[in-house]
Amino acid sequence: MSFMHEMSLAQNIVDIVQEEMTRHGVEKLQAINLAVGRMAAVVPQHLTFCFEIITENTGLAGTALHIREVPLTYRCLACGHEFTADEMAFICPECSEADPKLEKGRELTIENIEVAD
Amino acid sequence: MKVRVVRNILEANDRIAEQNREMFDQNQLFVMNLMSSPGAGKTSLLERTIDHLKDRLRIGVIEGDIQSSFDAERIAQKGVQVIQINTQGACHLDGNMIREAVTQLDMTDLDLLVVENVGNLVCPAEFKVGEDMKIMILSVPEGDDKPLKYPLMFTLSKALLINKIDLLPYVDCNIERIREAASRLSPGIAIFEVSCRTGEGLEAWYDWLERRVKSLN
C-alpha cells in the first residue's frame, strides 16, 4: 500500500509480466513497454520509481520500464476529422463543430516485453 | 526479442469490479461511487440524503478513509448500515476492498449502497468498484478551474453536485464556467447547485437519485 496509486499499478504490471514470462518460458527481461494515455491518472516518473522499488532484489530488478505517452486523439463526429491535442479539446479545428470524441488518451496498457539476450 | 502482450494494467481490478457488479445486480442493489476532494462535503451530503430518503429507500454506506472512523460514526448515527474501510495510506478504494467490505453488509436489505471514496480528485476515477454510476461533488471554494484540471473524474461522472453555494458571495468562483466544462467533459451530466449546510437546492438531487434507484429496482 502506498499513498501513490502508482504503487498499485506497478504491482499489477509485475503480476501480469511474470505471468507472461512463465507463459512464454522467458527468464530475464531487458525492458517492459507501456502505453499510458495523457488522460490516465498516472505520473510516469512515479510509476518508474514505484516499479524500481518493488522489483528490487527480484528477478525483474534492472528491467527498464519504458513509458510511451499517448496523446489525446479525437475524431470529430460531425466531419470525421482526426486530430491530436495536448489539452482537452471541445471544438473540431476543421469544421468548428463541438463534436470531437476522444478515441485515444486513456490507455494503461502493457504493449510488449523485451527479452534479454 | 519482443514478446507482444497488450494487456490492460488494471485488468485485475476491472475483473473484480465486474464480479461485484454482477453480485449487486443479483441483489437488485443500486451502487453509487461518490467522489470529491477532501472537504468538499461528501459526508454532509450523505447525512442530508439519508435523512430525506431513508423512509423510502433502504440505504447502506461504505466509508473509505485513509485513517480514522469519524465519517462512519457520523453516518451510523443516522441508523443505516455502515462499514468503514481504512485504506492504510492508499489514495483510493478498489474492487477488492469493496468485495471484502460488502460481506459485512446485508445486501438483501438494501436498495442503495453508497461508496464514499477517499477524498482525491485523481486516482479514484481509474479504479472501478462495480458501481452503477459515479457521482462527484465540487465545492465552490475549490475554484471553477477544477473540471479542466482533473478531467478524467468529471468525464466519468453522471452527476455533479456543486456544493457550498452559500459561500458564493465570499469566493471567486464562476458557476457557469464549471457547468460549461463539466457538460463538455460528460455530455448529459446532471448538475445540481446545492448547499449541504443550508439545504438549498437539494430537493432536485433527492428526486433525481430516488428516480435512478427505483428505475433499477
mmCIF file of all heavy atoms in Angstrom, chain A residues 19-41:
data_model
loop_
_atom_site.group_PDB
_atom_site.id
_atom_site.type_symbol
_atom_site.label_atom_id
_atom_site.label_comp_id
_atom_site.label_asym_id
_atom_site.label_seq_id
_atom_site.Cartn_x
_atom_site.Cartn_y
_atom_site.Cartn_z
ATOM 1 N N GLU A 19 3.390 -13.423 -15.231
ATOM 2 C CA GLU A 19 2.516 -14.417 -15.858
ATOM 3 C C GLU A 19 2.920 -14.638 -17.329
ATOM 4 O O GLU A 19 3.005 -15.781 -17.794
ATOM 5 C CB GLU A 19 1.088 -13.862 -15.797
ATOM 6 C CG GLU A 19 -0.004 -14.898 -15.756
ATOM 7 C CD GLU A 19 -1.347 -14.177 -15.672
ATOM 8 O OE1 GLU A 19 -1.632 -13.604 -14.599
ATOM 9 O OE2 GLU A 19 -2.084 -14.174 -16.667
ATOM 10 N N GLU A 20 3.196 -13.541 -18.037
ATOM 11 C CA GLU A 20 3.586 -13.643 -19.449
ATOM 12 C C GLU A 20 4.951 -14.327 -19.603
ATOM 13 O O GLU A 20 5.167 -15.087 -20.546
ATOM 14 C CB GLU A 20 3.621 -12.252 -20.097
ATOM 15 C CG GLU A 20 2.254 -11.587 -20.217
ATOM 16 C CD GLU A 20 1.378 -12.222 -21.306
ATOM 17 O OE1 GLU A 20 1.919 -12.771 -22.275
ATOM 18 O OE2 GLU A 20 0.141 -12.167 -21.164
ATOM 19 N N MET A 21 5.863 -14.049 -18.673
ATOM 20 C CA MET A 21 7.199 -14.666 -18.739
ATOM 21 C C MET A 21 7.083 -16.182 -18.580
ATOM 22 O O MET A 21 7.718 -16.948 -19.299
ATOM 23 C CB MET A 21 8.116 -14.075 -17.658
ATOM 24 C CG MET A 21 8.553 -12.645 -17.952
ATOM 25 S SD MET A 21 9.338 -11.849 -16.543
ATOM 26 C CE MET A 21 10.971 -12.612 -16.572
ATOM 27 N N THR A 22 6.258 -16.611 -17.638
ATOM 28 C CA THR A 22 6.049 -18.043 -17.442
ATOM 29 C C THR A 22 5.431 -18.659 -18.697
ATOM 30 O O THR A 22 5.854 -19.710 -19.180
ATOM 31 C CB THR A 22 5.105 -18.279 -16.234
ATOM 32 O OG1 THR A 22 5.620 -17.546 -15.128
ATOM 33 C CG2 THR A 22 5.008 -19.743 -15.887
ATOM 34 N N ARG A 23 4.431 -17.964 -19.222
ATOM 35 C CA ARG A 23 3.716 -18.471 -20.397
ATOM 36 C C ARG A 23 4.641 -18.637 -21.601
ATOM 37 O O ARG A 23 4.512 -19.582 -22.376
ATOM 38 C CB ARG A 23 2.580 -17.498 -20.735
ATOM 39 C CG ARG A 23 1.546 -18.051 -21.683
ATOM 40 C CD ARG A 23 0.194 -17.403 -21.443
ATOM 41 N NE ARG A 23 0.146 -16.020 -21.908
ATOM 42 C CZ ARG A 23 -0.370 -15.666 -23.080
ATOM 43 N NH1 ARG A 23 -0.848 -16.571 -23.896
ATOM 44 N NH2 ARG A 23 -0.405 -14.404 -23.430
ATOM 45 N N HIS A 24 5.562 -17.695 -21.745
ATOM 46 C CA HIS A 24 6.456 -17.743 -22.908
ATOM 47 C C HIS A 24 7.806 -18.371 -22.576
ATOM 48 O O HIS A 24 8.707 -18.383 -23.414
ATOM 49 C CB HIS A 24 6.668 -16.335 -23.465
ATOM 50 C CG HIS A 24 5.426 -15.735 -24.042
ATOM 51 N ND1 HIS A 24 4.940 -16.064 -25.287
ATOM 52 C CD2 HIS A 24 4.535 -14.850 -23.525
ATOM 53 C CE1 HIS A 24 3.821 -15.389 -25.512
ATOM 54 N NE2 HIS A 24 3.557 -14.653 -24.455
ATOM 55 N N GLY A 25 7.976 -18.886 -21.358
ATOM 56 C CA GLY A 25 9.235 -19.515 -20.971
ATOM 57 C C GLY A 25 10.424 -18.562 -20.987
ATOM 58 O O GLY A 25 11.533 -18.923 -21.380
ATOM 59 N N VAL A 26 10.178 -17.328 -20.547
ATOM 60 C CA VAL A 26 11.240 -16.312 -20.547
ATOM 61 C C VAL A 26 11.786 -16.160 -19.130
ATOM 62 O O VAL A 26 11.036 -16.158 -18.164
ATOM 63 C CB VAL A 26 10.658 -14.954 -21.011
ATOM 64 C CG1 VAL A 26 11.684 -13.848 -20.849
ATOM 65 C CG2 VAL A 26 10.188 -15.060 -22.450
ATOM 66 N N GLU A 27 13.129 -16.044 -19.010
ATOM 67 C CA GLU A 27 13.698 -15.936 -17.663
ATOM 68 C C GLU A 27 14.145 -14.538 -17.282
ATOM 69 O O GLU A 27 14.074 -14.151 -16.123
ATOM 70 C CB GLU A 27 14.871 -16.911 -17.521
ATOM 71 C CG GLU A 27 14.362 -18.317 -17.265
ATOM 72 C CD GLU A 27 15.457 -19.325 -17.086
ATOM 73 O OE1 GLU A 27 16.623 -18.901 -16.956
ATOM 74 O OE2 GLU A 27 15.148 -20.519 -17.088
ATOM 75 N N LYS A 28 14.615 -13.791 -18.272
ATOM 76 C CA LYS A 28 15.158 -12.461 -17.937
ATOM 77 C C LYS A 28 14.708 -11.446 -18.972
ATOM 78 O O LYS A 28 14.749 -11.706 -20.175
ATOM 79 C CB LYS A 28 16.703 -12.555 -17.906
ATOM 80 C CG LYS A 28 17.415 -11.281 -17.548
ATOM 81 C CD LYS A 28 17.738 -11.206 -16.061
ATOM 82 C CE LYS A 28 18.396 -9.860 -15.720
ATOM 83 N NZ LYS A 28 17.737 -9.128 -14.666
ATOM 84 N N LEU A 29 14.273 -10.286 -18.476
ATOM 85 C CA LEU A 29 13.795 -9.241 -19.383
ATOM 86 C C LEU A 29 14.773 -8.083 -19.456
ATOM 87 O O LEU A 29 15.462 -7.762 -18.494
ATOM 88 C CB LEU A 29 12.446 -8.687 -18.900
ATOM 89 C CG LEU A 29 11.208 -9.555 -19.023
ATOM 90 C CD1 LEU A 29 9.984 -8.717 -18.668
ATOM 91 C CD2 LEU A 29 11.062 -10.136 -20.412
ATOM 92 N N GLN A 30 14.749 -7.449 -20.626
ATOM 93 C CA GLN A 30 15.523 -6.227 -20.797
ATOM 94 C C GLN A 30 14.634 -5.010 -20.548
ATOM 95 O O GLN A 30 15.043 -4.049 -19.926
ATOM 96 C CB GLN A 30 16.047 -6.199 -22.233
ATOM 97 C CG GLN A 30 17.132 -5.191 -22.471
ATOM 98 C CD GLN A 30 17.714 -5.397 -23.859
ATOM 99 O OE1 GLN A 30 17.592 -6.474 -24.465
ATOM 100 N NE2 GLN A 30 18.349 -4.378 -24.370
ATOM 101 N N ALA A 31 13.410 -5.088 -21.046
ATOM 102 C CA ALA A 31 12.526 -3.929 -20.914
ATOM 103 C C ALA A 31 11.051 -4.330 -20.968
ATOM 104 O O ALA A 31 10.695 -5.392 -21.487
ATOM 105 C CB ALA A 31 12.819 -2.927 -22.031
ATOM 106 N N ILE A 32 10.244 -3.460 -20.392
ATOM 107 C CA ILE A 32 8.788 -3.589 -20.474
ATOM 108 C C ILE A 32 8.293 -2.305 -21.132
ATOM 109 O O ILE A 32 8.688 -1.208 -20.720
ATOM 110 C CB ILE A 32 8.162 -3.725 -19.074
ATOM 111 C CG1 ILE A 32 8.707 -4.970 -18.375
ATOM 112 C CG2 ILE A 32 6.633 -3.752 -19.148
ATOM 113 C CD1 ILE A 32 8.359 -5.011 -16.890
ATOM 114 N N ASN A 33 7.495 -2.431 -22.166
ATOM 115 C CA ASN A 33 7.000 -1.247 -22.873
ATOM 116 C C ASN A 33 5.518 -1.011 -22.591
ATOM 117 O O ASN A 33 4.674 -1.876 -22.844
ATOM 118 C CB ASN A 33 7.234 -1.405 -24.376
ATOM 119 C CG ASN A 33 8.718 -1.406 -24.695
ATOM 120 O OD1 ASN A 33 9.464 -0.534 -24.239
ATOM 121 N ND2 ASN A 33 9.165 -2.400 -25.444
ATOM 122 N N LEU A 34 5.248 0.184 -22.059
ATOM 123 C CA LEU A 34 3.872 0.536 -21.686
ATOM 124 C C LEU A 34 3.350 1.653 -22.586
ATOM 125 O O LEU A 34 4.121 2.474 -23.065
ATOM 126 C CB LEU A 34 3.823 1.075 -20.256
ATOM 127 C CG LEU A 34 4.434 0.283 -19.114
ATOM 128 C CD1 LEU A 34 4.226 1.062 -17.817
ATOM 129 C CD2 LEU A 34 3.794 -1.087 -19.024
ATOM 130 N N ALA A 35 2.042 1.676 -22.746
ATOM 131 C CA ALA A 35 1.379 2.836 -23.351
ATOM 132 C C ALA A 35 0.513 3.458 -22.269
ATOM 133 O O ALA A 35 -0.323 2.781 -21.672
ATOM 134 C CB ALA A 35 0.521 2.404 -24.531
ATOM 135 N N VAL A 36 0.753 4.735 -21.998
ATOM 136 C CA VAL A 36 -0.012 5.423 -20.965
ATOM 137 C C VAL A 36 -0.623 6.684 -21.566
ATOM 138 O O VAL A 36 0.094 7.565 -22.055
ATOM 139 C CB VAL A 36 0.882 5.785 -19.752
ATOM 140 C CG1 VAL A 36 0.115 6.634 -18.756
ATOM 141 C CG2 VAL A 36 1.391 4.521 -19.062
ATOM 142 N N GLY A 37 -1.937 6.750 -21.562
ATOM 143 C CA GLY A 37 -2.639 7.891 -22.149
ATOM 144 C C GLY A 37 -2.438 9.155 -21.327
ATOM 145 O O GLY A 37 -2.255 9.108 -20.122
ATOM 146 N N ARG A 38 -2.510 10.295 -22.050
ATOM 147 C CA ARG A 38 -2.346 11.581 -21.361
ATOM 148 C C ARG A 38 -3.463 11.817 -20.340
ATOM 149 O O ARG A 38 -3.301 12.568 -19.388
ATOM 150 C CB ARG A 38 -2.363 12.729 -22.391
ATOM 151 C CG ARG A 38 -1.050 12.940 -23.100
ATOM 152 C CD ARG A 38 -0.004 13.551 -22.166
ATOM 153 N NE ARG A 38 -0.333 14.892 -21.715
ATOM 154 C CZ ARG A 38 0.060 16.007 -22.303
ATOM 155 N NH1 ARG A 38 0.806 15.950 -23.373
ATOM 156 N NH2 ARG A 38 -0.289 17.191 -21.820
ATOM 157 N N MET A 39 -4.605 11.166 -20.551
ATOM 158 C CA MET A 39 -5.693 11.399 -19.606
ATOM 159 C C MET A 39 -5.739 10.364 -18.492
ATOM 160 O O MET A 39 -6.535 10.482 -17.565
ATOM 161 C CB MET A 39 -7.048 11.436 -20.310
ATOM 162 C CG MET A 39 -7.943 12.502 -19.687
ATOM 163 S SD MET A 39 -9.643 12.104 -19.682
ATOM 164 C CE MET A 39 -10.128 12.986 -21.117
ATOM 165 N N ALA A 40 -4.883 9.344 -18.562
ATOM 166 C CA ALA A 40 -4.832 8.379 -17.455
ATOM 167 C C ALA A 40 -4.250 9.098 -16.241
ATOM 168 O O ALA A 40 -3.398 9.964 -16.380
ATOM 169 C CB ALA A 40 -3.950 7.203 -17.841
ATOM 170 N N ALA A 41 -4.740 8.738 -15.065
ATOM 171 C CA ALA A 41 -4.292 9.429 -13.858
ATOM 172 C C ALA A 41 -2.947 8.859 -13.399
ATOM 173 O O ALA A 41 -2.852 8.260 -12.332
ATOM 174 C CB ALA A 41 -5.355 9.298 -12.771
#
